[in-house]
Amino acid sequence: MLKRTLTTAATSKPFRLAVVGSGPAGFYTSHKLLKESPTTQIDMFDSLPVPHGLVRYGVAPDHPEVKNVMTTFDKVAEDERFRFFGNVTIGKQNDDNISKSIAVHELQRYYDAILFSYGASEDRQLGIPNEDVYGSSSARTFVGWYNGLPRDRDLKLPLEDTDTAVVIGQGNVALDVARVLLSPIDELRKTDMTEYALEALSKSRIKHVHVVGRRGPLQAAFTAKELREQLKLPGVQFRADHTWIHDQIQQHSDYLAKRRPLKRLMALLDQEQNKQGDKSWHLQFLRSPVEILTNNDRVAGIRYEINRLEGPVEKSRAVGTGEYETQECGLVLRSIGYKSLAMDGLPFDVQQGLIPNLYGKMIDHEQNEMPGMYTAGWLKRGPTGVIVSTMSDAYETADTILADLRKDAPMLSSQNHADDDLFQLMYQRQIRHVSYDDWKRIEAAEFQAGAKLGKPREKFTTVEHMLDVLNR
Ligand code: FAD
Ligand code: NAP
């Protein structure tokens, strides 16, 4: 039987909200609304049959403690006023086949309001020659591959053909992928990394990973906890131009004195290590890739322009010097940030890669607030921020919705609240939607498969295999 018993028209008019995207932003907004507004009823849609977004498909497998937030999300889903519709894509993005999804204007017929929290599913490109050649990939695809994201499971990389990888970008994703490439395979085997990735990484010859930034150490985007982890990797030496790093720290000591987290980060970078081991990771600064070099249609190296820094330290810019250098390598992973996609029927700021909004309420192209249309998470503020910042941001959007409810602000005008019509539409489109109970059955089967392999879970990596569990 369908959940939906607590709020009836007799007590108070229900507020029906659709949530598009089941990552932290969607769940935390739902959490606050269900807690603070007894009339709220939520239907959450995700294009995948399985929920939790980047918690499942982004967070590194060797960070299981971060994934504990799934327990909070499970509690949200237990609420009688919450329903999950997995395997239902909303809107048209790029060349998606709309006949298998529900358009925004169709969804608007069934709800008082819609929250868009569909994250940032693509990645930014460098726009340099040979970026798509064999051996060059985005960190996003590599992360999706080792985490079992269906669209990335078939990635092929020359892990057995080279001992040197270059990671472009110096954020936490860059450190995640560098750590995975250099971690002892037996450590990774204890995680929920997919078996095919473990198999491929067990044969990997990669020994040296260069993590390359276009600016300097003070502008690095990774954080101390992640750097510390990298520095502790067994048998992996840390290499960098320590003299230059030290000079930079000295030169900007006043600036650092007022920024304790950055100062801590610099103190870690300032330490030279005397570690033994045949593997290494290198931090390189002031280099912008200009071309990926190839041999027989595969990566053979990378060419950089050397930069200098211009402007005040807090917003220093990388400016090319006209000098170039090349480096041999067989694998290039660009880790220069994720990217949200525009959706048909929604405003989108292409420059900033987000939905224009005022505290989570959508703003149209004429700067007018859009009744009943909200956004949260990476789609609202751009693809940066950890889960805790996504939570704060989601709570801000929830507060905006609550304030609108209190002042009886206009919502979506469509008043078709018949569940049957929505189900009929999904039936006509042959959309096999997945409930939260269904997901828990898929998850139980993953735990079972994992137990046989001595790991926390073994994920299904195709939608067909996920749905097969429900047909057993
Ligand atoms: P997402 O988590 O991306 O959720 C978006 C959801 O929308 C997805 O489930 C997606 O399937 C769905 N969706 C997309 N398009 C549609 C559509 N058209 N219709 C329906 N559904 C759709 N933070 C930490 O605190 N610790 C970490 O260790 C950490 N590691 C990270 C590692 C990586 C590689 C990355 C990229 C991020 C990491 N983060 C980490 C950051 C954290 O994952 C984000 O802050 C958070 O996931 C953003 O939440 P979101 O809900 O906005 O987006
Ligand atoms: P990010 O933190 O924004 O880092 C992006 C990096 O790419 C920066 O070093 C940036 O340098 C560089 N870059 C951007 N454009 C470039 C270009 N054209 N050429 C060369 N370099 C370029 O993004 P991210 O690493 O994808 O992480 C996204 C978010 O997820 C972050 O908030 C991160 O903290 C979070 N996350 C957290 C964890 C964790 O907590 N363990 C793990 C993974 C991710 P500039 O500064 O010069 O632009």
Side-chain angles (χ1 to χ4, degrees):
M1 204 190 74
L2 292 176
K3 293 198 282 184
R4 196 74 15 129
T5 48
L6 277 191
T7 312
T8 66
T11 52
S12 157
K13 188 173 164 287
F15 168 62
R16 288 176 47 103
L17 175 75
V19 173
V20 180
S22 68
F27 266 103
Y28 282 120
T29 314
S30 301
H31 174 67
K32 185 152 192 187
L33 286 173
L34 289 170
K35 198 163 142 232
E36 297 187 17
S37 159
T39 57
T40 293
Q41 300 184 341
I42 293 176
D43 286 348
M44 179 181 279
F45 296 84
D46 202 288
S47 44
L48 286 164
V50 293
H52 305 158
L54 284 169
V55 178
R56 178 177 164 101
Y57 288 122
V59 171
D62 57 347
H63 285 171
E65 69 293 346
V66 178
K67 295 173 194 259
N68 289 341
V69 292
M70 290 182 184
T71 320
T72 310
F73 302 159
D74 284 350
K75 293 235 162 61
V76 174
E78 278 167 18
D79 195 302
E80 290 286 321
R81 293 171 291 142
F82 177 95
R83 296 188 300 191
F84 178 64
F85 292 91
N87 204 29
V88 184
T89 298
I90 304 299
K92 182 171 159 29
Q93 296 175 304
N94 284 345
D95 300 325
D96 288 352
N97 181 357
I98 192 72
S99 68
K100 273 282 187 187
S101 55
I102 298 178
V104 171
H105 69 86
E106 291 170 326
L107 201 63
Q108 284 174 326
R109 285 186 213 146
Y110 304 104
Y111 295 93
D112 299 309
I114 309 179
L115 168 81
F116 291 86
S117 51
Y118 61 79
S121 56
E122 301 303 313
D123 47 79
R124 298 181 57 217
Q125 298 230 321
L126 288 159
I128 60 172
N130 301 322
E131 209 167 340
D132 296 322
V133 84
Y134 178 61
S136 166
S137 168
S138 65
R140 188 203 59 72
T141 316
F142 182 57
V143 167
W145 172 75
Y146 64 62
N147 274 324
L149 182 62
R151 66 184 271 206
D152 296 327
R153 67 187 301 275
D154 295 325
L155 176 71
K156 297 278 177 282
L157 291 175
L159 296 171
E160 293 175 53
D161 307 333
T162 177
D163 67 357
T164 304
V166 164
V167 181
I168 302 298
Q170 292 182 329
N172 281 329
V173 173
L175 287 198
D176 272 357
V177 300
R179 191 176 69 255
V180 163
L181 285 171
L182 292 169
S183 285
I185 193 72
D186 287 340
E187 288 304 310
L188 297 178
R189 282 191 209 284
K190 295 177 199 157
T191 72
D192 70 358
M193 181 178 283
T194 51
E195 279 299 293
Y196 63 70
L198 287 170
E199 167 79 13
L201 287 167
S202 71
K203 296 182 192 149
S204 168
R205 282 184 46 229
I206 303 277
K207 285 197 158 142
H208 311 291
V209 178
H210 298 255
V211 180
V212 182
R214 58 180 167 184
R215 301 192 286 160
L218 275 83
Q219 291 79 31
F222 50 69
T223 40
K225 182 171 163 284
E226 286 62 35
L227 175 62
R228 213 171 280 122
E229 214 176 333
Q230 188 76 12
L231 293 169
K232 280 191 192 149
L233 279 175
V236 181
Q237 299 183 31
F238 169 45
R239 297 203 182 129
D241 182 345
H242 287 285
T243 315
W244 187 68
I245 293 175
H246 187 74
D247 282 354
Q248 285 287 299
I249 294 171
Q250 293 299 310
Q251 202 180 322
H252 300 291
S253 54
D254 288 351
Y255 175 75
L256 287 171
K258 292 181 222 126
R259 289 166 180 81
R260 293 182 71 163
L262 187 60
K263 195 175 170 187
R264 267 200 300 276
L265 187 73
M266 290 307 109
L268 287 171
L269 281 184
D270 206 11
Q271 286 167 22
E272 278 189 60
Q273 279 190 325
N274 248 337
K275 215 196 253 176
Q276 297 303 308
D278 62 345
K279 294 185 181 175
S280 65
W281 79 285
H282 305 226
L283 261 185
Q284 284 173 255
F285 300 101
L286 299 180
R287 269 136 186 86
S288 285
V290 290
E291 183 183 359
I292 290 172
L293 307 172
T294 61
N295 188 1
N296 287 330
D297 291 332
R298 49 165 61 208
V299 171
I302 184 160
R303 186 168 149 82
Y304 307 111
E305 179 167 14
I306 299 172
N307 300 325
R308 64 168 186 275
L309 291 177
E310 267 189 14
V313 60
E314 64 276 18
K315 17 181 195 181
S316 42
R317 289 177 306 116
V319 178
T321 59
E323 281 176 53
Y324 295 85
E325 131 188 320
T326 59
Q327 174 172 12
E328 280 183 28
C329 63
L331 174 65
V332 174
L333 296 175
R334 63 170 185 277
S335 182
I336 59 169
Y338 282 54
K339 191 172 86 177
S340 295
L341 290 180
M343 192 180 273
D344 257 15
L346 300 184
F348 195 76
D349 180 334
V350 181
Q351 202 69 30
Q352 296 193 72
L354 46 76
I355 291 190
N357 67 90
L358 209 56
Y359 304 108
K361 188 154 187 184
M362 268 187 213
I363 305 282
D364 68 15
H365 297 297
E366 272 119 39
Q367 302 300 311
N368 299 313
E369 289 188 12
M370 297 172 70
M373 299 286 274
Y374 302 92
T375 182
W378 277 18
L379 182 62
K380 170 186 171 189
R381 62 168 199 280
T384 58
V386 292
I387 294 168
V388 173
S389 26
T390 300
M391 179 183 74
S392 313
D393 168 88
Y395 286 171
E396 180 189 79
T397 296
D399 284 338
T400 301
I401 298 174
L402 289 166
D404 278 355
L405 286 176
R406 271 194 299 274
K407 63 181 183 225
D408 211 9
M411 292 287 170
L412 293 171
S413 48
S414 314
Q415 289 301 316
N416 183 348
H417 286 175
D419 256 353
D420 285 353
D421 292 357
L422 175 64
F423 281 87
Q424 181 66 22
L425 183 70
M426 290 195 279
Y427 179 76
Q428 278 167 3
R429 303 245 162 112
Q430 298 176 347
I431 297 172
R432 196 296 185 208
H433 55 91
V434 170
S435 69
Y436 212 81
D437 284 346
D438 289 340
W439 146 242
K440 293 310 274 183
R441 282 172 62 199
I442 295 171
E443 189 178 45
E446 290 188 344
F447 288 150
Q448 213 172 21
K452 286 189 192 140
L453 296 161
K455 59 202 277 197
R457 77 165 86 208
E458 179 60 21
K459 291 177 191 167
F460 294 105
T461 59
T462 69
V463 169
E464 290 70 30
H465 287 144
M466 294 171 192
L467 298 182
D468 278 351
V469 174
L470 307 178
N471 297 331
R472 280 178 202 163

